[in-house]
Amino acid sequence: MEMKKIKLGIVLSGGGAKGAYEAGFLKALSELNIQPDAIAGTSIGALNGSVYAAQKDTHNVAQMLEDIWHDMASSKALEIDKKKAFLNIVEVITFFSPLAPVSKGVKIASTILNGAKSQEGILTTDPATNILDEYAPVDKLLKGLPFYVGVTETAGNMTDTLRFLGLSRSGITDYIKVQSLNTEDMHKVILASAALPLLFDAIEVNGKSYRDGCLSSSDNAGGNTPLKPLIEHEQCTHIIICHLDNGSYFNRHEWGDINIIEIRPTFGTFSSDLDPLRFSVDKIDLWIEQGYKDAIKILKDSFAALNGKYKRILSENASDKAIDNLRDKKFSIPDD
């Protein structure tokens, strides 16, 4: 008789600097000795998730991510690519120069057209690349937990920005298993998942140019909350989602009998639209601590109940197996 299995997936949402909250969430998982079977993430959740997938052990990951976030708070997490910034300045000066040989009308049309189609941003990915190289190297990802990221195929800066602002629903989320890619594309797809328009370049993976998974989704916030591949491809029976927005439109009831536990920030944890860019020591410490408190509050009771359910399943399986053995040996089992 096949034993009923519990398979746990972890989903890490996107939200820039608010991702420090996920470091606190993982600290709670470590304290409660919760170990997942698979992970999915979008944007900053993809970066946090990559470390989790590569290192596998919740205890090690919790401490690593706390260290990583403290390092980001004391360094330039959002670093401007000086070459691109310089070229942008030159383009602006040339546009307004009376000596420029091209007519103003042509230049305006060209600027609008190029801006719409452009896939470039002004920030460098060096800080994120350094984290991947040190804490989520390709060889460890290959041997790590199954890991999926949400990405959106870019349509250029203009459309991508409209998607980000919620003014266009034209994008579709692609869920890519990192371990399914060629080794040279594994870090690329993680960086692509966190590539917001205007800020970061779109990144080419398997012949397509991708950006942040949060830019799309006709499937109810699925781009920023990528549990879909954990259910469809990993057959997870239980999912824990760490949201970075208390007002997320994610609807758990779309997923039938899948057991979903949601961790949402306490009201007031995030108070500004600029929070995703606030890589500051005071904010990051506060958000790590709040992520820990919120997760402990929810998970402690939930997993006590889950543990009881798991023991009951083991008992039922043992009982069923014993009955089957008795029947095989021609013992009579009374109906009453």
Side-chain angles (χ1 to χ4, degrees):
M1 180 177 179
E2 185 179 354
M3 182 176 172
K4 303 167 188 175
K5 293 181 179 178
I6 291 176
K7 190 171 184 181
L8 176 64
I10 298 292
V11 177
L12 301 173
S13 295
K18 295 192 293 184
Y21 182 92
E22 292 174 343
F25 161 74
L26 293 174
K27 182 180 177 182
L29 293 190
S30 173
E31 187 172 298
L32 296 172
N33 202 30
I34 295 170
Q35 181 67 41
D37 299 292
I39 299 169
T42 290
S43 198
I44 197 64
L47 189 60
N48 285 335
S50 69
V51 179
Y52 203 173
Q55 303 297 333
K56 294 198 289 188
D57 183 79
T58 303
H59 299 284
N60 293 338
V61 172
Q63 187 56 57
M64 282 183 181
L65 277 175
E66 195 164 349
D67 292 341
I68 288 169
W69 277 94
H70 283 134
D71 286 345
M72 281 199 284
S74 58
S75 63
K76 295 180 179 178
L78 298 178
E79 189 174 330
I80 293 176
D81 185 322
K82 294 179 181 177
K83 181 179 179 181
K84 289 182 181 177
F86 174 76
L87 291 175
N88 287 342
I89 291 170
V90 170
E91 185 176 344
V92 171
I93 292 174
T94 303
F95 178 80
F96 287 103
S97 171
L99 301 177
V102 185
S103 75
K104 188 74 72 177
V106 172
K107 280 191 287 185
I108 290 172
S110 175
T111 299
I112 293 172
L113 185 61
N114 290 335
K117 293 181 178 179
S118 175
Q119 299 178 10
E120 290 192 350
I122 63 167
L123 299 179
T124 176
T125 59
D126 287 350
T129 300
N130 292 339
I131 290 171
L132 292 174
D133 288 341
E134 183 172 355
Y135 295 98
V138 167
D139 61 320
K140 286 196 173 184
L141 282 171
L142 285 169
K143 299 174 185 176
L145 296 171
F147 178 42
Y148 296 80
V149 297
V151 291
T152 310
E153 190 171 358
T154 182
N157 279 343
M158 182 178 289
T159 299
D160 289 351
T161 301
L162 290 175
R163 289 170 173 172
F164 177 66
L165 296 174
L167 300 176
S168 170
R169 300 284 289 175
S170 61
I172 299 296
T173 305
D174 285 336
Y175 303 102
I176 299 178
K177 185 176 183 179
V178 172
Q179 289 92 345
S180 72
L181 299 171
N182 295 326
T183 54
E184 61 267 24
D185 284 338
M186 290 172 70
H187 280 179
K188 286 183 181 179
V189 78
I190 296 167
L191 294 172
S193 182
L196 285 170
L198 303 179
L199 295 181
F200 297 101
D201 294 354
I203 297 176
E204 186 174 325
V205 178
N206 276 347
K208 292 184 178 181
S209 292
Y210 290 109
R211 271 197 167 126
D212 201 308
C214 79
L215 300 182
S216 60
S217 201
S218 55
D219 54 352
N220 188 33
N224 208 41
T225 313
L227 83 165
K228 189 174 184 178
L230 297 186
I231 295 172
E232 294 186 351
H233 301 303
E234 297 298 324
Q235 289 77 53
C236 287
T237 59
H238 293 71
I239 304 282
I240 305 175
I241 302 172
C242 184
H243 293 287
L244 296 180
D245 183 357
N246 194 46
S248 170
Y249 295 111
F250 172 80
N251 182 3
R252 60 186 298 161
H253 300 295
E254 290 187 1
W255 300 99
D257 60 355
I258 301 300
N259 292 277
I260 298 174
I261 300 171
E262 297 180 78
I263 309 300
R264 291 181 181 270
T266 297
F267 182 78
T269 300
F270 305 117
S271 56
S272 169
D273 290 339
L274 296 178
D275 282 343
L277 303 177
R278 291 183 172 176
F279 288 88
S280 58
V281 175
D282 59 330
K283 289 293 184 183
I284 283 176
D285 283 342
L286 177 67
W287 294 338
I288 290 175
E289 182 61 21
Q290 193 60 54
Y292 169 77
K293 288 179 178 178
D294 290 342
I296 283 287
K297 181 179 178 182
I298 299 297
L299 294 177
K300 204 166 185 179
D301 292 338
S302 297
F303 268 79
L306 179 58
N307 188 48
K309 181 179 180 181
Y310 181 65
K311 288 179 179 177
R312 189 165 61 253
I313 288 172
L314 289 177
S315 177
E316 289 171 359
N317 276 281
S319 176
D320 291 346
K321 187 175 181 181
I323 291 172
D324 287 343
N325 286 337
L326 289 172
R327 283 183 173 143
D328 289 342
K329 294 177 181 178
K330 309 300 182 184
F331 280 86
S332 176
I333 308 295
D335 293 331
D336 296 330

